[in-house]
Amino acid sequence: MGGARSWWGWGDEAGALSGGEADALVGRVAAFFPGQDFADHAPPSPEDLPVAPSRVRVPGSLAHLVSAGVVDRLSHSRGKAFRDVVRNLHGDTAHVVDLVARPGSEREVVDVLDWCGREGIAVVPYGGGSSVVGGVEPRFEGPAVSLDLGRLDRVLEVDEVSRAARIQAGVYGPHLEDRLRPYGLTLRHFPQSFEFSTLGGWLATRAGGHFATLYTHIDDLTESMRVVTPVGVSESRRLPGSGAGPSPDRLFLGSEGTLGVITEAWLRLRERPRWKAGASVAFPDFDGAVAATRAIAQAGLHPANCRLLDSTEALLNAGTPVGGGVLVLGFESAHHPVGGLLDQALGHVREYGGTPLGDAAHSDAAPDGAAAAWRSSFLRMPYQRDVLARRGMIVETFETACTWDRFPALHHAVVSAAREALEWACGGGGVVTCRFTHVYPDGPAPYYGVYAPGRWGSTVAQWDEVKAAVSEALIGAGGGITHHHAVGRDHRPWYDRQRPDPFAAALRGAKAALDPAGILNPGVLVG
Amino acid sequence: MGGARSWWGWGDEAGALSGGEADALVGRVAAFFPGQDFADHAPPSPEDLPVAPSRVRVPGSLAHLVSAGVVDRLSHSRGKAFRDVVRNLHGDTAHVVDLVARPGSEREVVDVLDWCGREGIAVVPYGGGSSVVGGVEPRFEGPAVSLDLGRLDRVLEVDEVSRAARIQAGVYGPHLEDRLRPYGLTLRHFPQSFEFSTLGGWLATRAGGHFATLYTHIDDLTESMRVVTPVGVSESRRLPGSGAGPSPDRLFLGSEGTLGVITEAWLRLRERPRWKAGASVAFPDFDGAVAATRAIAQAGLHPANCRLLDSTEALLNAGTPVGGGVLVLGFESAHHPVGGLLDQALGHVREYGGTPLGDAAHSDAAPDGAAAAWRSSFLRMPYQRDVLARRGMIVETFETACTWDRFPALHHAVVSAAREALEWACGGGGVVTCRFTHVYPDGPAPYYGVYAPGRWGSTVAQWDEVKAAVSEALIGAGGGITHHHAVGRDHRPWYDRQRPDPFAAALRGAKAALDPAGILNPGVLVG
């Protein structure tokens, strides 16, 4: 991470692929899609784009917090999905926030909400802006302020006895880990957006993290939260467990900026791992690989990594040609050797025809070479996506979770729907990949990738066709519309069908009580 | 379990202590409290009590579902707390439900809610009636129907692949386990009320279960729920994990009958354990015992049992005289031997001065002898409470959770408050015990027992003084008002202070949307 943030694409400019790297990537992809036009389309100069003037006048008392600069406003008005990046490349300025506000204290958050409530200005809370579901885009009429929490970036308190820390919501992942390192503690929550997303964003979207099993959603790492709502500040008690009524935190977790602005939270930490063990296992068929993964998920072994790659995913992202899939297993502990756990897991995989690739690695160094390489590659993927998006490729992912009994039918329905939609929208071609990012005793969280040759100028519309088709398939086959990408505006039609109607009524009732003027992130979840 | 349910006390009549057992218990207790009057006070004949006639006329279409029998109405109008049992012994009939309704289908639940909504009759959902917080008592003016879900007691579907089952809410614990046994599966949720509480009650109160660590609240075992609300039926999707907005289930979990009537749920199951290993460890001082327990809770070993008893608790309930406390450790697995985990845990306890008592037991039989004996004793405790309550003793428990850093001050504050209140209310005497029922990486769930000589006729008022004092201490010292006993009506004043005000407003908004007539369990949580 370094240098200026890209206004149109992922991450920062220093992290982007070099010209040579980009050419090499395009060369590899072009081999799959002969005949495709891979001409590069550079982003426009943002200062030259026809951005409507700000409709909002800020009171003098808040003037020092706000920016009306065009690039600031543009970069706060889109997330980082494929469709966001491509619309930026086309210079789309349809919906742009009128101002960006950067409060430096909770008091200033309250002041901005008060002002916007009085004036009927919508407020879009903004963490790292890495939403891939339209969560930060002011896709509505009427004035909007983007509330960027980035100045609230401190670790306020560390409780080494209970292993927890009170942390401000605007802190980015690497900064957070840097500040915990002197204590020998870590949150160990590493979404793919880790470098460019914030604690507040993880909490507001129920982010999924590093661990493949056990507590991995940020929900489970949350001890208490502090949330500024238009009717007052809500602070829950630090409690390791509670049975006192419905959980206050669980209402705000996943509220995506519609019920309040999360300003800080107590998070559960752990010691940094000292022991690690890992292996990759090849399978001759995908069904056997799925069955082995299920056996491990149900055996109480709790691997830190248990990532099943289908054969296409294994070839594209790990360079491993296999018939049925590759299961990447990893164990870690701060307290005891984990080689025995890996051996037990390998016992399960052999029952389902799995063969370990090379020697299993038992390591007490952190991070070990293979994991570090994978992590680096994982964090680079969105930059590669940007290169290909500029060349007219459709490159996007979507994800879900379902119970094990439903996975075979869901997988078939989703892959079929994706291929049909690609045929219809793109005239054929394209690759659909699948991996499991997380596994639970009762089901996996499948994560799909789509790589297809598009027509420059139409790739957003083409992707939207594919996305609608796979979303219908997911909801029809008993999956959820999202496991860890959140709902935002893009998932709303399917979320509304997934969500029980009485719960929707309850959520609207809660929203009316907390946000009576309806200013908080309109169009997301409710309203 | 067998025979008729007691209308005034715990459990069933066959489970109650025999005359000889009761005399022996009273003899042991009398040795601690010389001079106390231990005269026995038998319960009145319920048919002779002055119960007000039912104020409710049921429509003919629902007549076959309801009972207006006095004993039925009485037994549905109190939970099973000490103060409930003693009030029953005194023949208190202040608040009694007007009718008991026993729907045999979800349709009939809807019909009862519709009727009560039209007529403005309060509905108190009733599972096993084992509430110890006034959760089922109609402590309000106006007519009330107790909605007993006991006829909805079937396991409707078992998914052996995903290891989950769809189960009706009215099933009692033993019945539920009986029906899962043929599949080799178990919910393994064993609250102390296991024999006399239902799945629906566990869900409505966020019950804490068997496991000392990891997923133990029923919340974490819940895959989806079906809830009848006055505005419609809410059914969430079966999902192993989700990041789609705030969790619908987490709003109904802990709603204590105020937002809807839970009729069924999909629960996560596990295979029955094959391997077990356990040990009891004595400590010379309580602080060292707490530190060792914390070390184990933070070491990622995930013991099934990790119950720290202070020296008084160890003496009274385990017959073990020790200076500082006894830590009861147990590991279990359906998949792999667990002796190595126990050995690792014992390594931690030795660092803090712990000494294993006798040989650690490694067993592959389930249940092993010691665990079965403890379980039997655990389930018998409420029957013993009844015997002592009849003899004028104050015998009650309360519980909480807090972070590790706060435990020493909280423990001191609570024990001091209890002793002072006993001095003030009872003129001295009495014993306060402490154990941890569950431990988390960030804190324990301490569970306190109070045994004190009372004045017959005043023991409820005496206990209420003690309860108020310890509740103030808990809230003042940063604990929660309940870890797994729920809020009900008894905890309401302290719950209102624990709960963030904006969350209370949100809950009232949700309640108004789901229960516009305000008929559901008035006085609990909201309203």
Side-chain angles (χ1 to χ4, degrees), chain A residues 49-85:
Chain A
L49 293 175
V51 175
S54 175
R55 295 161 289 183
V56 169
R57 290 194 52 179
V58 67
S61 62
L62 299 176
H64 62 295
L65 304 181
V66 306
S67 152
V70 164
V71 181
D72 222 5
R73 289 171 57 205
L74 272 174
S75 66
H76 280 75
S77 299
R78 300 286 178 276
K80 298 297 184 184
F82 169 78
R83 67 193 310 285
D84 299 325
V85 168

Side-chain angles (χ1 to χ4, degrees), chain B residues 202-287:
Chain B
W202 304 339
L203 295 164
T205 62
R206 301 177 67 192
H210 169 69
F211 293 99
T213 64
L214 283 183
Y215 305 118
T216 185
H217 276 278
I218 196 76
D219 315 34
D220 292 314
L221 311 180
T222 303
E223 198 179 67
S224 76
M225 290 167 73
R226 198 169 157 94
V227 186
V228 175
T229 81
V231 298
V233 176
S234 180
E235 180 171 8
S236 58
R237 224 159 240 252
R238 285 185 68 194
L239 294 174
S242 175
S247 163
D249 293 339
R250 298 278 181 168
L251 180 65
F252 291 111
L253 286 159
S255 61
E256 301 193 19
T258 63
L259 302 180
V261 179
I262 300 161
T263 54
E264 59 182 65
W266 276 95
L267 275 295
R268 298 176 177 128
L269 309 175
R270 60 183 70 221
E271 293 175 55
R272 309 184 74 77
R274 283 182 57 203
W275 283 277
K276 296 192 176 189
S280 293
V281 181
F283 288 86
D285 67 285
F286 190 56
D287 290 348

Side-chain angles (χ1 to χ4, degrees), chain A residues 174-344:
Chain A
H175 202 163
L176 167 58
E177 289 293 338
D178 286 347
R179 290 176 179 189
L180 297 175
R181 198 168 289 112
Y183 299 93
L185 295 171
T186 169
L187 180 61
R188 238 164 151 58
H189 183 75
F190 302 126
Q192 193 169 26
S193 61
F194 176 69
E195 296 175 287
F196 303 105
S197 57
T198 63
L199 172 61
W202 304 339
L203 294 164
T205 60
R206 299 176 68 192
H210 168 69
F211 293 99
T213 65
L214 284 183
Y215 305 118
T216 185
H217 277 278
I218 195 76
D219 314 35
D220 292 314
L221 310 181
T222 303
E223 199 179 67
S224 76
M225 289 167 74
R226 199 169 156 94
V227 186
V228 175
T229 80
V231 299
V233 177
S234 182
E235 181 172 6
S236 58
R237 224 159 239 252
R238 285 185 67 193
L239 294 174
S242 175
S247 163
D249 293 340
R250 297 278 180 169
L251 180 65
F252 291 110
L253 286 159
S255 60
E256 301 192 18
T258 64
L259 301 180
V261 179
I262 300 161
T263 53
E264 58 181 66
W266 276 94
L267 275 294
R268 298 179 177 125
L269 308 175
R270 59 182 72 223
E271 293 175 55
R272 308 184 75 78
R274 282 183 57 202
W275 284 276
K276 295 191 176 191
S280 294
V281 181
F283 288 86
D285 67 284
F286 190 56
D287 291 348
V290 170
T293 306
R294 175 167 75 87
I296 292 169
Q298 295 182 339
L301 296 169
H302 311 314
N305 196 359
C306 187
R307 192 176 307 266
L308 177 62
L309 315 178
D310 77 0
S311 55
T312 315
E313 183 81 37
L315 187 65
L316 286 184
N317 285 323
T320 311
V322 290
V326 171
L327 178 61
V328 183
L329 280 170
F331 291 85
E332 62 174 53
S333 171
H335 303 280
H336 38 80
V338 290
L341 291 167
L342 176 61
D343 292 341
Q344 289 178 38

